[in-house]
Amino acid sequence: MVDLGGVAELLGADCSMSANAIAAILGGQIAPGQRVSVQGWVRTRRDSKAGLSFVAVHDGSGFEPLQVIAPADLPNYADEIAHLTAGCAVRVTGELVASAGKGQAVELRAERVEVIGWVDDPESYPIAPKAHSFEYLRTVAHLRPRTNSIGAVARVRACLAHAIQRFFHERGYFWVHTPIITANDCEGAGSLFRVSTLDLLNPPRTAQGGVDFDRDFFGRETFLTVSGQLNVEAYCLALSKVYTFGPTFRAENSNTSRHLAEFWMVEPETAFADLPANADLAEALLKAMFEALLDERADDMAFFAQRIDKNCIQRLERIIQVPFKRLDYDDAIQVLARAGRSFEFPVRWGMDLQSEHERYLSENYVGGPVVLMNYPKEIKSFYMRLNDDGRTVAAMDVLVPGIGEIIGGSQREERLEVLDARLDELGMNKTAYGWYRDLRRYGSVPHAGFGLGFERAVSYVTGMSNVRDVIPFPRSPRSAEF
RNA sequence: UCCCCGGUAGCUCAGUCGGUAGAGCAAGUGACUGUUAAUCACUGGGUCCGUGGUUCGAGUCCGCGCCGGGGAGCCA
């Protein structure tokens, strides 16, 4: 309204584009004395016998609500304003003034308060102005973004997503939109969700009695992707620097605070890059994300520091400055063997590291992120590049305290004969990987990439301990409501 | 999927030895106040997760199921 003058009136009562963002008002972009209009949802109402009510209005543009002063002589004061409760939608127009009270610099002295949407039963409104458990809030996922915590998570999530896109764009990486539907039934990362239009109750049959997928939509079995990596490798060997960023699906029956059936993953792939370069990129990406977050969402981070994880800001500040520790698997085994404590799973070379081992390394030995590199080939995927020692592959995991594995990646096996030998060794069907093998036949080059679990990253930076609370509508085993 | 713990008012929880249920917050009403998720008083509010069983009697004990939490596995 500051910039648009009387346009709001011209556009009519339901006009939405003329309101000022509360974040802009509280950010000092509008000087006291100006007329402003805000629209949002009531957080709290406090009445004063001094002849006014205080109404905290929140529009989601930032963490803080705006304090509205509603004088009792407003025409709808007794009938409407005095009955506002948490969740009511309002539009308020008035003069921005320096606050007469403590706790805020400015407040809005209302000249007009329109109630756009009432809460029809305040007692049962699920989001009371009180503390709620995250477990409960998951049961009202459609309303939980109105809370401080989940609203802050949503803004942090968007901030980090933008930081990721910026990071890659500035380094000459191209965003590749790899397919969600895939026919690769063995991408090497867990069980898949089937995609089909066949009648589940009465599918067409082959002569042998099996399901006749030739009659299915794509004429073959298809699934939701578990990773864009294989596809993005094709674009990597043409555009050199590429990445995917999108949803990923895993039908694993995982019931933990770190797993979702539908989650978002960032997967860069770099041509002519080796494993150390890959690790450098991973470290730079995480640091760029953390820096952007501290810079752009100080309000939300202050909240997380106050209510969720008091160390979250200083942790990020420190991580940004300190180089990530690199540790070869061989050395990690040595470290664990000399840890001076016993583990449930005894430490020996060749074992896959258990959670307790990863936790010791990142939380106790390093005290921050650590990049573990060069694992035994037996415990890693077929596409990872065989090292010259013949016993390890150029794989890496980035482990962080509290979460564990936040990034998993590798240099890819670019030598066709070595890849084929690996496929044979694992009894995998080479013809099914025809197009993937082609990439090794036609101008193959060394290349490397990794997958960053986006929700794990959001969880790590905010201190929100369950990934189900950092994605808008979580999907997990036996849970796909909303 | 496995191990452990839990499910009681809108929310967070207490509930003794098996005898038909309570607090705080929220909500409503009032008082008070330039208040800060205000304070004080009063009021309303219950399918004790579901199901089967034991018992004269089950929130309480037992079986099964569902949901949630912590840990593990899988992984990002």
Side-chain angles (χ1 to χ4, degrees):
Chain A
M1 185 157 284
V2 161
D3 296 317
L4 299 174
V7 170
E9 281 75 8
L10 293 175
L11 292 174
D14 289 322
C15 151
S16 63
M17 298 308 293
S18 61
N20 301 96
I22 288 171
I25 293 172
L26 296 176
Q29 294 173 30
I30 297 170
Q34 302 266 26
R35 285 192 81 236
V36 299
S37 179
V38 300
Q39 44 201 8
W41 294 266
V42 171
R43 281 288 176 82
T44 60
R45 188 198 86 239
R46 293 178 294 277
D47 304 323
S48 168
K49 275 298 181 293
L52 47 90
S53 284
F54 303 94
V55 185
V57 178
H58 194 261
D59 68 358
S61 57
F63 181 80
E64 296 291 340
L66 177 67
Q67 174 155 284
V68 167
I69 309 299
D73 57 10
L74 289 174
N76 62 338
Y77 183 83
D79 287 347
E80 296 193 324
I81 295 170
H83 297 283
L84 287 172
T85 56
C88 288
V90 294
R91 181 182 300 124
V92 183
T93 304
E95 183 187 354
L96 190 67
V97 298
S99 180
K102 282 173 276 188
Q104 58 282 315
V106 294
E107 58 197 22
L108 175 54
R109 183 160 287 276
E111 294 156 11
R112 185 179 179 199
V113 176
E114 297 166 76
V115 181
I116 309 298
W118 287 101
V119 167
D120 67 3
D121 181 14
E123 182 173 9
S124 63
Y125 178 60
I127 310 297
K130 69 184 289 290
H132 292 290
S133 67
F134 293 120
E135 294 82 8
Y136 165 71
L137 290 175
R138 267 174 238 150
T139 69
V140 286
H142 57 310
L143 296 171
R144 69 177 185 164
R146 301 180 182 198
T147 63
N148 280 333
S149 307
I150 304 300
V153 163
R155 284 183 297 273
V156 164
R157 214 184 138 95
C159 169
L160 291 175
H162 272 112
I164 288 164
Q165 301 283 17
R166 244 182 357 255
F167 174 87
F168 286 120
H169 177 69
E170 287 167 0
R171 280 165 180 73
Y173 281 75
F174 296 103
W175 186 18
V176 175
H177 307 117
T178 50
I180 300 297
I181 298 172
T182 179
N184 299 327
D185 63 353
C186 38
E187 291 187 0
S191 340
L192 298 88
F193 288 101
R194 180 180 298 283
V195 173
S196 174
T197 55
L198 294 179
D199 181 357
L200 206 58
L201 302 175
N202 184 27
R205 298 287 180 179
T206 62
Q208 291 74 34
V211 174
D212 185 5
F213 288 105
D214 189 55
R215 305 261 302 272
D216 205 345
F217 187 90
F218 294 106
R220 62 192 302 172
E221 283 189 270
T222 50
F223 308 88
L224 294 179
T225 184
V226 295
S227 165
Q229 179 202 319
L230 267 45
N231 287 293
V232 92
E233 279 189 51
Y235 271 70
C236 176
L237 298 187
L239 303 185
S240 296
K241 298 160 95 176
V242 296
Y243 67 103
T244 72
F245 185 14
T248 304
F249 307 87
R250 306 229 172 135
E252 296 289 349
N253 192 7
S254 297
N255 294 286
T256 80
S257 58
R258 286 157 275 124
H259 291 85
L260 292 164
E262 177 183 82
F263 65 99
W264 282 58
M265 189 155 64
V266 184
E267 297 175 286
E269 195 74 28
T270 313
F272 308 101
D274 58 10
L275 189 66
N278 202 34
D280 291 347
L281 184 70
E283 178 175 353
L285 171 62
L286 288 174
K287 288 181 171 178
M289 291 167 63
F290 299 162
E291 277 184 272
L293 181 62
L294 293 175
D295 184 44
E296 297 168 21
R297 293 263 50 107
D299 56 348
D300 294 316
M301 290 307 292
F303 167 77
F304 288 118
Q306 187 192 350
R307 292 294 182 89
I308 306 296
D309 175 0
K310 66 179 189 298
N311 296 318
C312 65
I313 292 177
Q314 55 195 96
R315 182 172 64 226
L316 295 184
E317 286 171 340
R318 187 177 151 273
I319 288 170
I320 287 168
Q321 291 167 0
V322 179
F324 287 11
K325 175 93 176 163
R326 267 96 172 140
L327 200 59
D328 264 18
Y329 173 91
D330 287 2
D331 298 326
I333 292 295
Q334 293 298 315
V335 167
L336 292 169
R338 295 181 198 139
R341 52 160 285 187
S342 65
F343 295 99
E344 187 185 343
F345 294 86
V347 177
R348 58 169 179 79
W349 197 94
M351 72 182 297
D352 207 351
L353 296 182
Q354 305 294 313
S355 282
E356 55 176 344
H357 306 129
E358 296 184 346
R359 189 172 300 153
Y360 176 84
L361 291 170
S362 64
E363 293 174 12
N364 300 97
Y365 180 70
V366 175
V370 55
V371 189
L372 287 185
M373 307 167 86
N374 299 312
Y375 287 77
K377 67 173 182 177
E378 285 78 15
I379 59 174
K380 289 295 182 181
S381 297
F382 72 94
Y383 51 75
M384 297 186 176
R385 190 179 195 277
L386 188 66
N387 285 324
D388 292 343
D389 62 16
R391 65 194 185 108
T392 62
V393 290
M396 67 173 202
D397 285 350
V398 179
L399 311 178
V400 296
I403 306 286
E405 186 179 344
I406 196 171
I407 283 177
S410 68
Q411 185 173 339
R412 318 307 187 189
E413 183 54 75
E414 85 279 14
R415 299 160 297 187
L416 182 64
E417 63 281 6
V418 182
L419 180 68
D420 279 349
R422 193 80 176 109
L423 288 169
D424 288 340
E425 203 175 311
L426 296 170
M428 296 171 73
N429 179 4
K430 270 191 291 205
T431 57
Y433 288 92
W435 68 266
Y436 190 72
R437 293 176 65 251
D438 271 359
L439 300 174
R440 277 72 183 165
R441 297 173 60 206
Y442 307 132
S444 186
V445 300
H447 60 290
F450 61 81
L452 164 66
F454 189 57
E455 284 73 23
R456 288 186 182 179
V458 179
S459 175
Y460 179 61
V461 299
T462 58
M464 296 287 289
S465 55
N466 196 317
V467 290
R468 297 177 190 193
D469 301 319
V470 301
I471 190 168
F473 296 97
R475 273 81 178 93
S476 54
R478 302 194 60 83
S479 177
E481 215 187 337
F482 308 103

